[in-house]
Amino acid sequence: MADEKPQQFSSRLGLILTTIGAAVGTGNIWRFPREAAANGGGSFMIGWLLFLFAWSIPLLMAEFAIGKKTRLGTIGAMRDMAGRNFTWLGIWMMWVGTAVGFYYAVVMGWTIRYFWIALSGQMSDASDTTETQALWDNFIGSPFEVIFFQLIAVAFSAFIVYNGISGIEKANMVLIPCLVAFLIVAMIYPFFLNFEGAAMGLKFLFIPQWEYLFKGETWIRALTQSAWSTSAGFGMAITYAVAMRKKEDIGLNAFLTGLGNNSVSLIAGVAVLGTIFALSDSTAEGLEAVEAGSSGLTFIHLTALFASMGTAGWVIGSIFFLAMSFAALTSMVSTLQGCVVNFVDMGWERKEAVRYIAVAVALAGIPSAFSLEFLDNQDFVWGTGLIVSGLMVAIVVMKFGVSRFRKELINTKYADIQIGKWWEYIIKYVFPIEFILVFGFFIYEKLQDKNDSPIEGMGLGLFTIITMIVQWAMILIIFIFVLNNRVADATKKGPVSDGNFDDDVEWAEKV
Amino acid sequence: MQGSFSYTVELNAANQGGLEGGFHADPLLIRPTVRMHLLTNIHFLDESPEARIGQMFGSYNQIGSEGIYSPEDTMMPTLTILSSKGESVGFQSDTDVSFEKYYANDDFPVKVLVENSQFMKKDSIFLKYRNDNMMEGEWKEVPMICSENCDVKAIGDVNSSAGFNIQKRDSVYKAYVPETEESMNVQFYAVAQDSRLASQNFGGYVTTGYGASEPIEIFVDDIIGFGNGIVDFFAVAIMMGIIYGVVWGGLYKTVGIATEAERRKNEDDEVKNKAPKKKAKPPTKPPAKGKIKPRTVAAIPKEG
């Protein structure tokens, strides 16, 4: 059993950039612009902005508070907050985050590969989407090449985590400003190339299409984008809050993380849509790119557009894919760290844990590297599982007592801003409604899938509800009935494991 | 003009010395020539589908047998509009291919497949279009530019119909229908000339559709926005102001609060970390003169 000295962030800036890094991922760059343009532009943005304050930031506050108070990873945190019998909640959160990491390393490998394709000039050889499609098909059809870049992705991430919180902090202090700088360049550049086209991208992003404002789907998509983008409720903030300084604030840091993440999304949105419409021959061609799905948009259409730009495309393409790689790296680091912290809590030596977990993540990602369908399936199953993790955080807060949680765990004497009762209303009333709507719509959408009849939608296809529930059930049965008690006992005690949450309470009561 | 018309032409099928030595010894080359004469005299037929499907026979002996009825067998250029995915777009109820979505602010591209383009007169292909804002019957035209398989020396296929082998080339031409600026219906078709039938700029016309030009009609959507550049500009500016104001303004504000809070906490820490050094207390008041006792040193007797 290792008994290591607790690690801490050296500064607030380090903590914020690290949590923003965890939140900002490829989804900010390839998903957000696509979702916004396809769901009514400004109408989508209104919902997206609303749910930042009605879902993401309140959940981030809860996570920061739980992590800071318990000083344990998700497993120990859930055990100490909800009781020993609910340790499985923390195991689920750790597992879902790690399972996402299995295939996310493959996705990060794609971005590294395409960065190299752009930098080496191979991209310039492709003249249209047929050729970039062939380039993509060739790459995806070479599993060993995909695995090679997946291993590079895991190795980079593991190296950063291997150096502990200080390593993660230093990496994010460099990567996030670079990412933002690259995206700003990518945002401005299309306006010099074709101002009118780039302005068209702005129209698609910002002008509300009013009919979308009255569609339920617009709001649901805005909510899921906000949830996935900020990683609220996924256990990431718990993981990093473990290393918070004692005097660190909760509420303001949650605002900084959520607003920082959305700021990056806005830059990426203008960059991607501006580039697409600036370089497309027609609006229809631009829209075709937007509607081509995440990988289609990035690796086929944007690649073709960069290729058509000559030297300028070489520059902007390289910058774009480097930014993508950085965004993926910072998220991949948080995924690994989320798992490592839990194993360290169970007595593993940290560096040893990093080594074993990195190897496990690399091996478990190989099926996704071999099969795009398997990757999509895992994204479907565990990506949806992340939303359930958010529900678990909210349930733990409710079990603890929402009012007590706000007074004792958020509004501590170190709080820079006081969080009002609005937070309680959101967690108690708004959040459950939002969750039911999102999940209900998600199931409805699967059953209505025009490619599958309702019966197939409930069958055992790759993307059916049953497939998802079967995988969840298998994992949950193991967690609840096999691992719960063992892991609860194996995880070290934290500062509140004795049930005493009174630290800072006296001061809070005065306020 | 209504009604049917039948015309039989007997060709000399005897050996005239081959392609170099004879005059149109090859029936595949003769047929269009015959048609030219037909069309020169009865040129109004060129406007009807039937004109291009003249009934022709390989030789005198074949009169009464199966003839050559279609433009395909005469190897006249055949024009077909393509969707952006390269599928052939038929006409009216003859197609399931839906045309791409186009927007009023775009010059939208139209592609035309020209089969047997080796017999198409150079620079003779035009895209004709009209929209709801134009006068009844008015059509504008734009020249079409070859975009695929444009090398005249690249003959990639062989037509062996009617027992003759003629090398052929199929090309794709492209042109843009100018933007309409507002949402409306747009009709278009393509027209070209057969190089063997064309006389200067007249005759030998081939069009998309079955003989007669049957234009495709598509609906162009209004582009996102309010259809007015200035209004759109203000709409974008207002929305950007709101979204960026909340997100970036909020970030700016929270960073300000955090910086101030951090500075305050650091100052507190510095104050606490400055451990007070113990200083010798100064005497409350200086000793009065005369009260200072003179120091005395005891004499140490010398050892004797």
Side-chain angles (χ1 to χ4, degrees), chain A residues 11-12 40-43 45-46 48-49 52-53 187 199-200 202-210 245 247-249 252 255-256 259-260 262-264 266-267 270 281-284 287-288 414-417, chain B residues 84-85 100-103 105-109 174 176 179 223-226 228-229 231-233 235-236 239-240 242-244 246-248 250-251 253-255 257-259 261-262 264-266 268-269 272:
Chain A
S11 68
R12 183 178 205 153
S43 302
M45 300 286 268
I46 291 168
W48 172 76
L49 199 57
L52 173 67
F53 300 101
M187 178 179 78
M200 181 61 67
L202 288 185
K203 281 189 188 178
F204 268 97
L205 195 56
F206 290 108
I207 291 185
Q209 297 178 56
W210 301 113
R245 295 172 302 168
K247 291 183 178 177
E248 204 67 79
D249 153 276
L252 191 64
F255 273 104
L256 281 167
L259 290 167
N262 280 26
S263 297
V264 175
L266 282 177
I267 298 171
V270 176
D281 280 344
S282 67
T283 310
L287 278 179
E288 189 189 347
Y414 304 115
D416 296 330
I417 55 170
Chain B
S84 64
K85 290 185 172 59
E100 294 303 308
K101 197 168 188 179
Y102 286 119
Y103 292 88
N105 67 317
D106 282 333
D107 295 344
F108 69 81
K174 191 175 182 182
Y176 291 86
E179 63 178 287
I223 189 55
I224 186 171
F226 300 94
N228 180 309
V231 177
D232 285 350
F233 171 80
V236 169
M239 281 303 291
M240 284 182 81
I242 294 170
I243 306 281
Y244 280 84
V246 173
V247 176
W248 285 16
L251 186 65
K253 179 84 178 164
T254 46
V255 166
I257 296 171
T259 309
E262 204 65 10
R264 209 172 47 241
K265 284 176 186 172
N266 288 341
D268 289 349
D269 285 347
K272 284 181 185 171

Side-chain angles (χ1 to χ4, degrees), chain A residues 18-41:
Chain A
T18 302
T19 49
I20 288 176
V24 173
T26 51
N28 293 63
I29 299 172
W30 72 15
R31 192 172 188 275
F32 168 72
R34 191 167 56 77
E35 286 287 308
N39 291 290

